Amino acid sequence: MYLIITYDIGEERVNKIRKILKKYFMWVQNSVFEGEITEGKLTQCKLELEKVIIKEADSIYFYRIENRLNYRKVVLGVEKDMTGNIL
Amino acid sequence: MYLIITYDIGEERVNKIRKILKKYFMWVQNSVFEGEITEGKLTQCKLELEKVIIKEADSIYFYRIENRLNYRKVVLGVEKDMTGNIL
């Protein structure tokens, strides 16, 4: 399946969250990751994230798209490439 | 169609962008809007956004999902409600 992940995380924890997401997905915009993933890897990724987030304050959305033919991305302005960013 | 909109906008312009997006979509996370929209309204929204953004610096992604049955959202942590935020 294909996933779009957006997040809003406390400043102190945001780099840790990005480091985890970077292992599984592509970093495509400041607060957005994307990528194809298996069910098993996704479970593993969520477990790692759950250890870091504060459930009452932080927010991560997983938009899960079963069929990529059903989804299209349009960019206004710059298509960012964050993959080179060092955390 | 259903849209997920994510953005990374220069500080000086971000409130203007949010004000425009708020007219057409629901504000669901700090840098994310969502909603059902018609082709005509979407064109109108993009025209408004294009007047404000600096194309070389700002970035807005429109993830367009034709069939909502093909998409699922999973939340880790808080499901944010930003609609009450005043800009």
Side-chain angles (χ1 to χ4, degrees), chain B residues 4-5 17 19-21 23 28 35-36 39 44-45 55 57-59 69 73-74 76 79 82:
Chain B
I4 300 154
I5 299 107
I17 293 298
K19 269 186 195 163
I20 297 167
L21 288 171
K23 290 197 287 174
V28 294
E36 196 71 46
E39 205 68 60
Q44 198 177 313
C45 173
K55 284 204 168 90
D58 299 331
S59 172
L69 296 175
K73 181 180 178 180
V74 175
L76 220 63
E79 173 132 44
M82 316 284 289

Side-chain angles (χ1 to χ4, degrees), chain B residues 63-77:
Chain B
Y63 294 97
R64 181 177 170 148
I65 298 160
E66 299 303 330
N67 178 1
R68 281 190 68 180
L69 296 175
N70 200 254
Y71 131 88
R72 200 152 62 90
K73 181 180 178 180
V74 175
V75 178
L76 220 63

Side-chain angles (χ1 to χ4, degrees), chain A residues 6-8 28-30 34 55-56 58-64 67 70 72 74 76 78 80, chain B residues 6-8 28-30 34 55-56 58-64 70-72 74 76 78 80:
Chain A
T6 69
Y7 54 88
D8 187 1
V28 294
Q29 203 180 57
N30 192 40
E34 266 180 49
K55 284 204 169 93
E56 297 72 28
D58 299 331
S59 171
I60 307 178
Y61 294 167
F62 294 83
Y63 294 97
R64 180 178 173 148
N67 177 2
N70 198 253
R72 199 152 63 89
V74 175
L76 221 64
V78 185
K80 299 221 165 177
Chain B
T6 68
Y7 54 87
D8 187 1
V28 294
Q29 204 180 56
N30 193 39
E34 267 179 50
K55 284 204 168 90
E56 297 73 27
D58 299 331
S59 172
I60 308 178
Y61 294 165
F62 294 83
Y63 294 97
R64 181 177 170 148
N70 200 254
Y71 131 88
R72 200 152 62 90
V74 175
L76 220 63
V78 184
K80 298 221 167 178

Side-chain angles (χ1 to χ4, degrees), chain A residues 1-4 25-26 28 34-37 63-68 71 73, chain B residues 63:
Chain A
M1 86 208 91
Y2 198 78
L3 260 89
I4 300 154
F25 300 99
M26 295 171 296
V28 294
E34 266 180 49
E36 196 70 47
I37 197 165
Y63 294 97
R64 180 178 173 148
I65 298 161
E66 299 302 331
N67 177 2
R68 281 190 68 179
Y71 131 88
K73 181 179 176 179
Chain B
Y63 294 97

Side-chain angles (χ1 to χ4, degrees), chain A:
Chain A
M1 86 208 91
Y2 198 78
L3 260 89
I4 300 154
I5 298 105
T6 69
Y7 54 88
D8 187 1
I9 305 283
E11 195 58 38
E12 324 82 67
R13 295 174 299 280
V14 72
N15 264 355
K16 278 191 189 170
I17 293 298
R18 282 176 178 152
K19 269 187 195 161
I20 297 167
L21 288 171
K22 238 185 141 177
K23 292 197 286 175
Y24 299 92
F25 300 99
M26 295 171 296
W27 195 7
V28 294
Q29 203 180 57
N30 192 40
S31 303
V32 188
F33 282 76
E34 266 180 49
E36 196 70 47
I37 197 165
T38 61
E39 204 69 58
K41 286 270 179 201
L42 180 59
T43 306
Q44 198 177 312
C45 173
K46 281 185 185 163
L47 282 174
E48 284 193 59
L49 293 169
E50 276 170 348
K51 280 181 197 156
V52 178
I53 64 166
I54 293 182
K55 284 204 169 93
E56 297 72 28
D58 299 331
S59 171
I60 307 178
Y61 294 167
F62 294 83
Y63 294 97
R64 180 178 173 148
I65 298 161
E66 299 302 331
N67 177 2
R68 281 190 68 179
L69 296 174
N70 198 253
Y71 131 88
R72 199 152 63 89
K73 181 179 176 179
V74 175
V75 179
L76 221 64
V78 185
E79 174 132 43
K80 299 221 165 177
D81 181 10
M82 315 285 288
T83 43
N85 286 35
I86 291 158
L87 295 172

